[in-house]
Amino acid sequence: MVWFDTSKIHIPVDEDQRNTSLSKPIFRSRVQNIVSPERLLYKQPSVLVGRTDVVAVTPWLAPIVWEGTFDPDLVDIIYKSMNLTIATTVFAVGKYVRFLQDFLETAEKHFMVDFNVRYYVFTDRPDDVPSVNLSQGRHLSVIQVPGSNRWQEISARRMEIIQTAIERQISREADYIFCLDVDSKFHARWGAESLGRLVAVIHPWFYQATRDLFTYERRPASTAYIPMDEGDYYYAGAVFGGSVEDVYTLTKVCRNQLEEDARNSIEAAWQEESHLNRYLLYNKPSKLLSPEYQWDDKKTKTNEVKVIRFSSVIKNYAEIRPNV
């Protein structure tokens, strides 16, 4: 396997950060109380009435976010008072840069509206990054990374690149972070209901499947290995997030495991998604997003999915990927 030279990843570094050990980034995240303004009127919640067609909590008591399980106005009011900044990383490498304009334009309509958002675009084609009108409090940084002649290598290097960006820049600029796939579009509200310490999304193709059908890495030689009789949910690699500190830990562990596999000449079945699933099996997410937050446009909408918020667009992989 050929690896990118991390020294060629161009991420701005100021003098204060240069003097800080990269192994110990300083994080902005802090624990805050859930404070609701006085005299805020909203529908009374019920412990008896609600959705009965889906499960809204995991066995370890983490919420699973579905339409109808939260009050969007109440959630946003509570979190907006915290003056948070949400980082959003996206990789637009090679021909994938063509998806960036739709991603950004739909994000401006639906993603964390009225929150402070910082987009971090990783690309080998900085001159092709489109100009998109951003709302107040929203910023875009372009970070140049190398390309590759294998899409698997681009996929495998995401964890390392995100870890490096957190160390050098994001840890000082954001409280929460979401790592999203660029070949996707927003269709409806994605708000503060998605925020949590460690957040994963349930894969749209596997949420109805039993664990023996999950496409985990099944070879014991890989550090992403999960035995056939283990597994909670199958998580999509297209979306993961949480506090910047928790996502930093996730990316660092997954990077180390990817590099160990590379030294042993093994590549996990689904690259970083396989390692993500291994990490989240033993480091349980504090919040799960339903498949509403990562649908696939090739898949027919199901009855339990009341709204599609974010989805992977249909594309010709043979045309956009450097290899099949």
Side-chain angles (χ1 to χ4, degrees), residues 255-275:
R255 171 196 178 172
N256 290 339
Q257 292 180 344
L258 282 155
E259 291 179 350
E260 183 176 342
D261 274 7
R263 287 191 295 270
N264 294 323
S265 300
I266 189 168
E267 187 173 76
W270 292 102
Q271 295 80 43
E272 91 283 10
E273 184 174 86
S274 298
H275 290 272

Side-chain angles (χ1 to χ4, degrees), residues 114-156:
D114 295 329
F115 282 83
N116 300 315
V117 172
R118 287 186 172 271
Y119 301 104
Y120 299 87
V121 176
F122 301 98
T123 183
D124 59 338
R125 299 183 181 184
D127 293 338
D128 293 337
V129 173
S131 176
V132 174
N133 292 326
L134 303 179
S135 302
Q136 184 177 357
R138 299 164 83 93
H139 306 274
L140 187 149
S141 298
V142 177
I143 301 172
Q144 188 168 350
V145 296
S148 175
N149 58 7
R150 292 185 72 243
W151 69 265
Q152 294 92 339
E153 291 168 7
I154 298 170
S155 175

Side-chain angles (χ1 to χ4, degrees), residues 41-239:
L41 302 180
Y42 52 90
K43 183 179 179 181
Q44 179 184 352
S46 172
V47 297
L48 300 176
V49 178
R51 289 194 62 169
T52 58
D53 58 334
V54 293
V55 175
V57 65
T58 70
W60 59 92
L61 299 180
I64 305 176
V65 183
W66 296 87
E67 175 71 7
T69 63
F70 64 96
D71 184 322
D73 296 328
L74 175 60
V75 168
D76 278 358
I77 287 174
I78 289 171
Y79 280 91
K80 283 176 184 175
S81 68
M82 299 180 186
N83 192 30
L84 302 169
T85 296
I86 293 87
T88 307
T89 67
V90 63
F91 285 73
V93 178
K95 293 181 180 180
Y96 276 77
V97 74
R98 70 179 61 174
F99 300 109
L100 190 54
Q101 182 150 357
D102 278 349
F103 176 93
L104 291 171
E105 288 180 348
T106 58
E108 284 299 289
K109 293 178 182 178
H110 302 294
F111 179 72
M112 305 303 296
V113 174
D114 295 329
F115 282 83
N116 300 315
V117 172
R118 287 186 172 271
Y119 301 104
Y120 299 87
V121 176
F122 301 98
T123 183
D124 59 338
R125 299 183 181 184
D127 293 338
D128 293 337
V129 173
S131 176
V132 174
N133 292 326
L134 303 179
S135 302
Q136 184 177 357
R138 299 164 83 93
H139 306 274
L140 187 149
S141 298
V142 177
I143 301 172
Q144 188 168 350
V145 296
S148 175
N149 58 7
R150 292 185 72 243
W151 69 265
Q152 294 92 339
E153 291 168 7
I154 298 170
S155 175
R157 287 304 299 279
R158 287 178 62 196
M159 294 297 186
E160 177 187 353
I161 293 171
I162 293 170
Q163 177 199 343
T164 302
I166 290 174
E167 289 173 344
R168 296 182 177 177
Q169 184 174 359
I170 298 174
S171 62
R172 295 172 293 123
E173 297 179 346
D175 304 285
Y176 290 92
I177 181 172
F178 280 102
C179 306
L180 307 177
D181 272 7
V182 71
D183 52 341
S184 308
K185 294 168 97 171
F186 294 87
H187 306 280
R189 169 206 162 84
W190 178 321
E193 74 281 354
S194 63
L195 297 178
R197 181 185 56 78
L198 185 59
V199 181
V201 65
I202 301 173
H203 200 294
W205 288 100
F206 292 101
Y207 76 96
Q208 297 166 311
T210 55
R211 62 165 62 121
D212 59 299
L213 298 177
F214 294 168
T215 54
Y216 290 151
E217 173 53 63
R218 301 298 190 182
R219 294 169 295 174
S222 172
T223 58
Y225 169 64
I226 296 176
M228 291 295 294
D229 58 351
E230 293 188 41
D232 300 316
Y233 309 94
Y234 190 87
Y235 302 111
V239 176

Side-chain angles (χ1 to χ4, degrees), residues 287-304:
K287 181 175 287 185
L288 279 67
L289 305 180
S290 70
E292 298 169 0
Y293 293 82
Q294 178 51 48
W295 200 246
D296 189 324
D297 287 351
K298 299 191 298 293
K299 185 176 175 65
T300 303
K301 188 170 175 285
T302 56
N303 291 333
E304 58 271 16

